[in-house]
Amino acid sequence: DVKVTQSSRYLVKRTGEKVFLECVQDMDHENMFWYRQDPGLGLRLIYFSYDVKMKEKGDIPEGYSVSREKKERFSLILESASTNQTSMYLCASSSFSPGQGRKTQYFGPGTRLLVL
Amino acid sequence: GDSVTQMEGPVTLSEEAFLTINCTYTATGYPSLFWYVQYPGEGLQLLLKATKADDKGSNKGFEATYRKETTSFHLEKGSVQVSDSAVYFCALSVSSNDYKLSFGAGTTVTVRA
């Protein structure tokens, strides 16, 4: 089974702090994604990465950056946390292999971040 | 752009009732369609998927049929259980980028004993 793990289930940070959210997958997937989930808005893509050191902006990248130094690990960074970044953050991964299976994304349990 | 619209919740049902969650989509080309489920306190899990028109995805008693003519992918279950209480998300693969997904807003379903 694919396993995607996230470093924390819950985090409480202060406004202005630098925040690191870590995600690790164990299926050798090329693609990794960071989403935020807010009530009534569904999942919105922040950033994704299709290879080591490669990244692309999603729909809402402002205020975030990412790092992918190793294939299995994808980090989301909040350079200076703000209260409007209080949310549930979900990491996902998928395979780049040809065929329909590559579109299926596998999710971690989520990190609920509260910025005070 | 490619997008998904799903029925608003919350939906509250009694055990053994019939569940339908409507999902319609707008897309260029031929997207793959997905239903994901999120149980309380957990991340999303793939529930079922369909990759071409008239395909039926099924899992855990849930079914959804890819209807190209109505651009729909409605989720159904004939007899729900308390354990089906969750948030359900419809999603499609974005045609401009094959491995990106576009998600609906989610529908919260509560099943009462």
Side-chain angles (χ1 to χ4, degrees), chain A residues 9 31 33 35 37 40-43 45 48 50 56 59 90 94 96 100-105 107-109, chain B residues 30-32 34 36 38 41-46 49 51 87 89 93 97-101 103-106:
Chain A
R9 294 299 300 270
N31 306 319
F33 307 82
Y35 295 89
Q37 180 184 6
L41 296 177
L43 274 70
L45 182 65
F48 72 101
Y50 51 89
E56 283 196 24
D59 301 318
L90 293 167
S94 70
F96 191 70
Q100 296 299 329
R102 67 180 170 182
K103 300 173 184 178
T104 301
Q105 293 185 15
F107 284 81
Chain B
Y30 303 97
S32 293
F34 304 81
Y36 280 83
Q38 183 179 35
E42 298 183 12
L44 275 69
Q45 303 174 22
L46 178 66
K49 67 181 181 182
T51 57
V87 183
F89 292 91
S93 60
N97 182 314
D98 207 20
Y99 40 86
K100 285 176 65 176
L101 297 180
F103 287 84

